[in-house]
Amino acid sequence: MINCQLITSLAEARPHSHLLARHACAQLPETALINEMRAQTGVADTRFGCAPFARITLLPEALWQDSLTDGLVTALRPLFAAPVSESLVIDLCDIHDTVLGQLLRFLFNQAHNLSDLQLKKTDGSAVRIRHIAALCLPEQRERLASIIEQQQAVANGMIAARRLADTPSDRCTPQYVVDEAQTLCAAFPALRCEVLDEQQIVGQGLGLLHAVGKGATCPPRLLAIHYDGISDGPVRCYVGKGITFDTGGLWLKEGAGMYTMKYDMCGAANVLGLMLTVAELNLPVRIMGVLALAENAIGPDAMQPGTVARACNGLAVEINNTDAEGRLVLADAIAWASQRHPQAHYIIDMATLTGAVVKALGYELSGLMTQNETLREQLTRAGIRSGDEVWSLPLDARLKKQTESTIADLCNTPTNNAAISASAAWLLHHFCPPMIPWAHLDISGTALWREGGRSVASGRPIPLLVEHLLADIEL
């Protein structure tokens, strides 16, 4: 946990802190060192002659206003690979609101790194950020205090999701996710967990989730997390794909494509993180988060290409590709959520669903597919405000032929290998009744942070969803 305080003068900062400021920060001392650093056009950084600070980093004014390219965090990231002080002083006197949120989340997310999983020997001497002093003007204190509290709760949810997603899949089984979620939710009286085991999954007719999970030695689970911040009112539903490892099933992936497949449960992990954030913020709302958990494995009982399975809403799906399993578990979970709350305010699902969305949008934008224009507009605006942006892809009846089957109501993948991301969403829309607003987020590009050929969980799109939820509550 990183604690944060607001200060209005650098004299209040702890000695030997790392000072991060704009070139034009008015509170910087007028010294030869500062003047020399200000003369540089890019990032100026020093650990020498900067007493009483351990390190001073000055960054160009443009980065503090760059809400499009995440430039400030990108510039700071290498500086935090090996921090020199447990304390930071950060200049927030003049910063764009979106950049402020991105910066605070980045800083609070420093509370978790891969070494915390205790799978790698470390000497324990590495410096960790433990205290942040936010430099502001006196008139900014009240507003910034509220923003900091909110963004720290968002970051805490992101960290919970990241820690779970980063855990290797031999440990992070469907039951492990359930156990971790129950432990984390127990800290908040407003959260309660409901679990369906493999027998109950079959008993309640979730044939698609069963089909995906039945080939694994670790059986599937459906976890519903209920949050009652108020006693009555519409329920907002979030559904997450939780494939704890994806071999592709009998449609086997190649080795290189399998390496990051422990992260195929990021959608479910992010639903958990979102629920924890909402509970920490004590928001006046009712929410249900549904985690569809399974391992897509190879074994004697694994689903076969050509299998027809039936979802809990009665629709039969021809499984013509066992590596398109995510949309199957999502479909059942969406249908199940709509049956539990037939008057839901909305259902939003999220999944690392298709590599095609990465080819279309890259790693910075999540794909948004919906037929509800209100949800589309609200999520797009929330993405811009939070800096966790989405981009809409088409979703209409022109995709109908992509899911047609001669033997079942639907097939799970298009045989022409076209419009893969939108075709998956077209399949999913059949499982949410038309009277419930529904949106699908394909987070294959954004759920991971990629750097130097390595990938770790990012915690996105929790910032987007919190921003959207806060705005929706205020309507």
Side-chain angles (χ1 to χ4, degrees):
M1 182 74 172
I2 297 174
N3 64 69
C4 183
Q5 70 171 125
L6 289 164
I7 62 174
T8 56
S9 168
L10 287 179
E12 300 175 59
R14 294 185 179 187
H16 310 297
S17 296
H18 179 183
L19 172 62
L20 296 148
R22 299 168 296 118
H23 281 176
C25 177
Q27 294 213 32
L28 292 173
E30 290 293 334
T31 65
L33 173 64
I34 295 299
N35 290 334
E36 183 180 349
M37 295 178 72
R38 279 174 163 165
Q40 298 187 33
T41 56
V43 177
D45 181 61
T46 183
R47 284 182 265 177
F48 302 99
C50 50
F53 300 103
R55 185 176 194 172
I56 298 176
T57 306
L58 301 188
L59 300 105
E61 299 294 314
L63 293 181
W64 302 81
Q65 306 300 325
D66 178 10
S67 62
L68 182 64
T69 68
D70 208 12
L72 181 59
V73 169
T74 300
L76 293 178
R77 195 175 292 276
L79 301 178
F80 287 84
V84 301
S85 174
E86 293 186 352
S87 299
L88 295 178
V89 181
I90 186 81
D91 171 20
L92 301 182
C93 294
D94 185 11
I95 184 171
H96 189 284
D97 282 351
T98 299
V99 181
L100 173 62
Q102 292 172 326
L103 173 63
L104 290 172
R105 292 192 301 269
F106 168 72
L107 294 176
F108 289 132
N109 264 279
Q110 300 305 306
H112 166 70
N113 59 47
L114 288 180
S115 66
D116 297 332
L117 299 179
Q118 298 182 338
L119 299 175
K120 182 178 181 179
K121 290 183 178 180
T122 60
D123 60 12
S125 62
V127 175
R128 299 288 295 269
I129 306 301
R130 303 189 186 280
H131 178 81
I132 298 171
L135 179 65
C136 66
L137 302 175
E139 60 269 24
Q140 295 174 314
R141 290 185 68 103
E142 183 177 352
R143 176 174 176 270
L144 282 176
S146 175
I147 293 173
I148 288 169
E149 179 183 11
Q150 176 185 311
Q151 294 304 328
Q152 185 153 34
V154 173
N156 289 341
M158 294 172 73
I159 288 170
R162 289 172 55 215
R163 182 180 289 116
L164 192 60
D166 286 333
T167 301
S169 56
D170 63 321
R171 301 184 182 200
C172 190
T173 64
Q175 185 59 49
Y176 179 92
V177 175
V178 168
D179 293 341
E180 288 295 299
Q182 289 176 322
T183 298
L184 292 169
C185 290
F188 299 98
L191 293 176
R192 57 186 173 87
C193 293
E194 175 187 1
V195 183
L196 302 188
D197 63 18
E198 63 269 37
Q199 286 83 24
Q200 292 167 311
I201 286 170
V202 172
Q204 295 197 23
L206 287 89
L208 303 184
L209 177 56
H210 169 68
V212 174
K214 68 187 178 70
T217 56
C218 304
R221 295 286 184 267
L222 186 83
L223 170 63
I225 304 172
H226 304 274
Y227 171 78
D228 295 311
I230 51 177
S231 59
D232 194 20
V235 176
R236 294 159 171 86
C237 297
Y238 299 89
V239 176
K241 169 189 173 184
I243 302 298
T244 56
F245 193 79
D246 182 17
T247 67
L250 295 181
W251 203 292
L252 185 66
K253 297 178 183 288
E254 63 176 8
M258 219 183 291
Y259 179 65
T260 59
M261 284 302 105
K262 72 175 185 179
Y263 290 114
D264 215 15
M265 44 70 72
C266 280
N270 289 328
V271 170
L272 170 60
L274 173 65
M275 300 300 289
L276 295 170
T277 292
V278 169
E280 183 175 342
L281 291 173
N282 197 29
L283 297 182
V285 67
R286 296 175 69 208
I287 296 177
M288 181 175 72
V290 182
L291 287 65
L293 303 164
E295 181 181 339
N296 188 22
I298 299 172
D301 296 323
M303 60 180 173
Q304 301 168 345
T307 294
V308 175
R310 195 173 297 277
C312 66
N313 69 345
L315 288 176
V317 179
E318 178 189 3
I319 302 169
N320 56 1
N321 184 337
T322 67
D323 195 23
E325 82 300 325
R327 64 202 69 182
L328 298 175
V329 303
L330 276 178
D332 245 346
I334 291 167
W336 187 85
S338 71
Q339 291 170 356
R340 290 296 300 272
H341 294 290
Q343 295 181 319
H345 188 62
Y346 56 67
I347 297 176
I348 298 174
D349 78 73
M350 64 207 77
T352 50
L353 205 63
T354 66
V357 82
V358 181
K359 291 180 172 61
L361 301 178
Y363 296 116
E364 305 303 324
L365 296 164
S366 296
L368 167 63
M369 284 146 274
T370 181
Q371 293 183 310
N372 186 281
E373 293 306 315
T374 299
L375 261 184
R376 187 193 314 278
E377 181 183 353
Q378 290 175 345
L379 287 166
T380 300
R381 284 204 309 265
I384 293 170
R385 288 195 302 267
S386 65
D388 186 3
E389 291 194 53
V390 298
W391 199 267
S392 286
L393 294 174
L395 185 68
D396 57 45
R398 286 172 289 188
L399 295 162
K400 183 178 179 181
K401 63 181 179 297
Q402 300 296 93
T403 59
E404 289 178 345
S405 168
T406 58
I407 195 173
D409 299 309
L410 300 160
C411 70
N412 72 327
T413 54
T415 56
N416 59 11
N417 205 34
I420 293 175
S421 299
S423 296
W426 181 255
L427 174 78
L428 292 175
H429 104 278
H430 291 85
F431 297 87
C432 186
M435 69 284 297
I436 300 177
W438 164 79
H440 165 61
L441 297 174
D442 193 330
I443 58 173
S444 290
T446 56
L448 299 184
W449 168 254
R450 300 162 177 87
E451 185 175 46
R454 300 177 182 272
S455 298
V456 294
S458 70
R460 293 179 63 186
I462 294 174
L464 161 74
L465 296 172
V466 173
E467 183 69 34
H468 169 254
L469 179 58
L470 291 170
D472 191 55
I473 292 172
E474 292 175 0
L475 291 177

